[in-house]
Amino acid sequence: MQIKIKHIALVLFLVDVLILIINIKYKDEIPSVIPDLDYAKFFLFLGVVCFVVYLLIAKFKQPTTIIASIAIIFFCISMFCNLRLAKDNYDRIQCNKGISEYIKYFEFDSCEKINKRFEEDRINGELKYFQNKYNSDLEFEERLRDKHGIVLIGISCTQATSMECYNDLVKKLFKDK
């Protein structure tokens, strides 16, 4: 039983450290404090301390599984924070990847500039639709994606006025069809 607990704690530790390293590498540079990252580090530290104490006790006498169980609990809490942060990082990276070529049109919130980009995209067959988490029309978005092959860009992206203008042009084009 104790060997299994030791192995579970070790595997959780290794996976947690791997996810933590990935989260540190891809963290959002804008906020100075990222609570989930701080919590993940803190609980990982507590888990490591408990696990080291468990291993030290195991070396000299019969170890108690309570300390290893506490280490496992800390590793699980740390992994939970890490996985939440990994999801946020993934959403942000996907959003940035989707809108990176449109950033110059979003600077001034100008519908005139985005109209030109819309025409280019329409001619090249590379239309996109910027999802809005507060005002979504799921049926329309699914129809755009499935029937017309339009790329849907992140529901978690920050919305700019020119994105709404681009979406209005897409809606106008496909409402008629």
Side-chain angles (χ1 to χ4, degrees):
M1 170 92 176
Q2 291 158 358
I3 292 175
K4 290 181 181 178
I5 287 179
K6 183 169 63 173
H7 289 125
I8 290 170
L10 187 61
V11 167
L12 279 173
F13 167 74
L14 293 173
V15 170
D16 205 11
V17 166
L18 178 68
I19 296 172
L20 185 65
I21 290 169
I22 291 170
N23 281 336
I24 289 171
K25 181 178 180 186
Y26 291 107
K27 73 179 183 175
D28 193 354
E29 300 297 328
I30 295 171
S32 59
V33 176
I34 302 171
D36 280 341
L37 189 59
D38 293 339
Y39 296 148
K41 290 177 187 176
F42 175 71
F43 285 112
L44 180 66
F45 173 75
L46 291 178
V48 168
V49 168
C50 289
F51 192 57
V52 167
V53 168
Y54 169 80
L55 292 176
L56 289 174
I57 292 173
K59 185 171 185 165
F60 297 113
K61 63 177 185 170
Q62 183 65 24
T64 176
T65 58
I66 293 174
I67 297 173
S69 299
I70 292 171
I72 289 172
I73 290 169
F74 284 140
F75 289 145
C76 288
I77 294 171
S78 176
M79 188 173 300
F80 173 75
C81 294
N82 268 322
L83 290 174
R84 279 181 33 158
L85 185 59
K87 184 217 175 285
D88 292 344
N89 286 340
Y90 177 79
D91 287 346
R92 182 183 42 78
I93 290 168
Q94 289 303 105
C95 179
N96 290 344
K97 188 188 305 182
I99 66 171
S100 62
E101 61 191 72
Y102 292 86
I103 292 290
K104 61 184 173 190
Y105 301 103
F106 300 155
E107 290 174 354
F108 303 108
D109 285 337
S110 169
C111 287
E112 295 169 11
K113 288 185 177 182
I114 203 72
N115 284 342
K116 294 176 185 173
R117 180 59 194 239
F118 172 78
E119 287 302 320
E120 290 175 21
D121 288 349
R122 187 178 60 78
I123 291 168
N124 296 332
E126 298 173 352
L127 287 174
K128 296 178 176 49
Y129 187 81
F130 301 100
Q131 294 175 297
N132 185 344
K133 62 183 167 186
Y134 300 112
N135 187 18
S136 61
D137 182 357
L138 295 177
E139 291 178 22
F140 178 70
E141 291 172 1
E142 287 175 3
R143 191 175 46 151
L144 283 176
R145 183 189 64 222
D146 298 339
K147 190 175 178 184
H148 301 291
I150 304 295
V151 176
L152 300 178
I153 304 226
I155 200 159
S156 62
C157 293
T158 303
Q159 289 288 317
T161 305
S162 51
M163 286 174 153
E164 293 173 23
C165 293
Y166 191 95
N167 283 350
D168 290 342
L169 294 169
V170 171
K171 285 178 184 175
K172 184 178 175 186
L173 179 68
F174 288 106
K175 287 278 184 186
D176 300 334
K177 293 183 178 183

